[in-house]
Amino acid sequence: MREIEAIITAAQAEYRRFVASGPDRETRTAVGNAVRFLTADLTSVLDLLTATQTRARS
């Protein structure tokens, strides 16, 4: 699970670097949406893994 958290953190950090480089609004919005979707998907995976592991221990 740490690997997934690391991917989320890296994606968000790279997005901040990307924004700091001054891209045009349309590109910034498209990339921002992609990072948000990636973060949401990976967060869902973390939630599923946590729930699965919790049930497996019970």
Side-chain angles (χ1 to χ4, degrees), residues 10-32:
Q12 291 171 341
E14 287 303 314
Y15 176 70
R16 286 190 294 275
R17 281 187 38 193
F18 170 74
V19 169
S21 73
D24 63 81
R25 182 178 179 196
E26 184 177 336
T27 302
R28 184 180 69 240
T29 299
V31 173

Side-chain angles (χ1 to χ4, degrees), residues 3-58:
E3 294 85 354
I4 296 170
E5 292 169 345
I7 293 168
I8 292 169
T9 300
Q12 291 171 341
E14 287 303 314
Y15 176 70
R16 286 190 294 275
R17 281 187 38 193
F18 170 74
V19 169
S21 73
D24 63 81
R25 182 178 179 196
E26 184 177 336
T27 302
R28 184 180 69 240
T29 299
V31 173
N33 287 339
V35 171
R36 278 188 284 286
F37 286 127
L38 174 66
T39 299
D41 287 346
L42 291 176
T43 300
S44 294
V45 169
L46 281 174
D47 293 343
L48 179 62
L49 286 172
T50 301
T52 302
Q53 289 177 352
T54 301
R55 276 188 254 148
R57 291 183 195 143
S58 299

